[in-house]
């Protein structure tokens, strides 16, 4: 009697290096139009960090001030607003960096509207950007949550 081969377990989250390089190189250059087809083929890729910097697509989009991509990654793809890079920094941190473009202020407002965590040490950067400072609540020794 012929037996069907055993069903393979779900593949591990190890994309081929070409796909990974294409995704993060495109994101770092702001060429976001190449990203949706890759994530539609395998949404798990969104949870990976760049092999060089460790930053996720959400961190890169926030730093570049790309509100449409930030919104898409969070609302459609399911990226966590609290996702951290290897240094423990969130998308909100990357959007408030001194070298972030001015349009990052829109990303800051979006993330705050969606209750992002703010490191108390980074509060002044939000104020310096000229965005209206969100109402916050304390949720840790040095951490605030946007309300």
């Amino acid at each position: 009697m012929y037996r069907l081969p055993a069903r393979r377990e779900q593949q591990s989250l190890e994309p081929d290096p070409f796909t990974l390089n294409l995704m993060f190189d495109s994101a770092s250059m702001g060429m976001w139009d190449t990203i949706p087809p890759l994530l539609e083929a395998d949404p798990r890729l969104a949870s990976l960090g760049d092999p060089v910097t460790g930053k996720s697509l959400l961190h890169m989009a926030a730093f570049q001030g790309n509100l449409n991509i930030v919104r898409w990654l969070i609302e459609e793809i399911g990226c966590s607003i609290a996702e951290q890079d290897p240094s423990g920094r969130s998308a909100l941190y990357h959007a408030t960096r001194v070298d972030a473009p001015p349009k990052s202020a829109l990303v800051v407002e979006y993330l705050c509207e969606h209750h992002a965590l703010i490191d108390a040490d980074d509060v002044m950067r939000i104020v310096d950007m000229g965005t209206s400072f969100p109402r916050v609540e304390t949720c840790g020794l040095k951490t605030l949550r946007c309300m």
Side-chain angles (χ1 to χ4, degrees):
M1 179 168 135
Y2 178 77
R3 294 184 61 186
L4 293 173
R7 205 172 151 193
R8 293 174 68 176
E9 293 298 316
Q10 190 173 11
Q11 292 180 340
S12 66
L13 185 58
E14 294 184 26
D16 67 281
F18 175 78
T19 300
L20 205 55
N21 287 336
L22 174 64
M23 184 172 75
F24 287 111
D25 287 349
S26 297
S28 67
M29 292 184 288
M31 298 170 50
W32 290 98
D33 56 330
T34 59
I35 305 298
L38 297 173
L39 294 185
E40 287 168 9
D42 188 356
R44 298 173 302 161
L45 294 175
S47 66
L48 296 176
D50 182 310
V52 176
T53 67
K55 293 176 180 64
S56 71
L57 294 174
L58 182 59
H59 297 135
M60 292 178 176
F63 171 71
Q64 293 172 12
N66 195 324
L67 179 58
N68 290 334
I69 295 296
V70 168
R71 183 181 288 131
W72 176 72
L73 287 169
I74 291 170
E75 296 176 12
E76 301 294 324
I77 299 300
C79 292
S80 170
I81 202 165
E83 188 174 284
Q84 295 182 344
D85 68 14
S87 300
R89 303 295 190 171
S90 69
L92 185 60
Y93 167 83
H94 291 287
T96 60
R97 286 180 29 188
V98 174
D99 53 344
K103 63 184 180 177
S104 294
L106 297 173
V107 172
V108 171
E109 290 175 7
Y110 171 84
L111 294 172
C112 286
E113 288 171 4
H114 288 80
H115 311 292
L117 296 177
I118 302 173
D119 186 325
D121 293 337
D122 300 326
V123 168
M124 288 310 298
R125 286 204 314 263
I126 293 174
V127 173
D128 289 343
M129 290 183 82
T131 60
S132 57
F133 193 74
R135 290 182 345 157
V136 294
E137 66 180 350
T138 305
C139 62
L141 184 59
K142 291 179 64 179
T143 306
L144 307 170
R145 180 185 315 277
C146 297
M147 297 176 54

